[in-house]
Amino acid sequence: MRKTIKVIESSESERLAQIYLVAATIFCEKGYDATSMSDIAEAVGITKAGIYHYVKSKQDLLFKIMSFGMETLEKDVIIPAKGIADAETRLKAIIANHARLITEGSTPNGHNPVTIINDEVGGLTPAQRRKIINRKRVYLDLLRETLNQLKNEGKLKDVNITVATFSLFGMLLWVSRWYRSNGSITVDQLVEEMSKIALGGILRPQARLSKK
Amino acid sequence: MRKTIKVIESSESERLAQIYLVAATIFCEKGYDATSMSDIAEAVGITKAGIYHYVKSKQDLLFKIMSFGMETLEKDVIIPAKGIADAETRLKAIIANHARLITEGSTPNGHNPVTIINDEVGGLTPAQRRKIINRKRVYLDLLRETLNQLKNEGKLKDVNITVATFSLFGMLLWVSRWYRSNGSITVDQLVEEMSKIALGGILRPQARLSKK
């Protein structure tokens, strides 16, 4: 009995994840406003009534996609990073896990519930928007604290921490716009190169050499 | 007579620039699909009929905004950069001019016809989209060629040029999402810090030291 319930739960959550991914892809391609619930239902392969079993409205769906994207970011990037005491190791883990999350979770066109978080906040209610912004702030704070710790350890170059934090963020978020999993760069290469460029930009050469 | 014509031309083009800036701001805030021509006319302070004197349709307006943004990027960033023979000096000029363009041309909320180029391409016709993408490609090619030249001069770190090009691009484009002209960082500081981080990430320390 318990097993059956588990199977049902898992299949429901898998179906939900599938709806989010499909809807995120269509929102990215057509734009949120131009997408109808029928478009999404058709792409998922269920009836329009079927989709209302999972979500109340298109706006509710957008908020759920963003919340799902944030949960994935928290599970794959933020929580593992918070478990790492050494700031340099933590920064490397954040860059690697974020780049992996964007590239591996994405469709061939590069769409992914995580990427929509930054592009369609205008479609949310003010209360929903605040919730998403607050969750994003946790991530920005983690990056900023990590850079502050590196500064205190004498490992950071003489760079402004706000500019460095957002530059890292921009580099990482932009990956979803250009990286294609069927292109010539593997995910491992991408992670290694982005790490090299980002760490080279903000850490003192000495600090990095001493780690090798 | 000639002078009068010139004055009229200038005031028409100023009015157009104003329409583009206002429309870009509303598109960024409300989303392209949710914005009506009446919203834009009202914000500009002209009648709805008045706005159709300048643009044929909302889609035409979006394409004109993007074309205007690309023209600004060409005039302020691409053309000056192409006149610089030394690759390192050229790269510094690209970073500085792009960061200045995004920050100085923007409204207090950070909206700017240049930034919309990347966020609303879905609203264009396929033919319009191709035109904008081709113009963007010219910029990407310029960045990539500059990095290739730096590589040939032995100044580039051992980094993948595609990843480096798009990382620079991501850092620069993200500025419009976080930088606020009424915040604590001046435009000069922003330009200096971004240059430090970007060049530190991709150039060999020796190459940069030799220039000081």
Side-chain angles (χ1 to χ4, degrees), chain B residues 71-84 97 142:
Chain B
E71 268 155 39
T72 315
L73 190 73
E74 285 156 8
K75 184 169 63 68
D76 290 5
V77 184
I78 300 176
I79 294 171
K82 287 199 168 171
I84 301 170
N97 290 334
L142 172 68

Side-chain angles (χ1 to χ4, degrees), chain B residues 27-85:
Chain B
F27 286 161
C28 287
E29 279 169 2
K30 289 187 71 166
Y32 170 73
D33 292 291
T35 304
S36 71
M37 287 292 265
S38 308
D39 295 334
I40 296 165
E42 196 184 322
V44 176
I46 56 179
T47 61
K48 201 173 159 187
I51 205 155
Y52 283 106
H53 168 68
Y54 296 95
V55 286
K56 285 198 298 261
S57 63
K58 195 172 73 162
Q59 193 173 45
D60 177 46
L61 177 59
L62 180 65
F63 178 63
K64 284 192 164 153
I65 291 174
M66 291 199 185
S67 303
F68 176 75
M70 283 309 307
E71 268 155 39
T72 315
L73 190 73
E74 285 156 8
K75 184 169 63 68
D76 290 5
V77 184
I78 300 176
I79 294 171
K82 287 199 168 171
I84 301 170

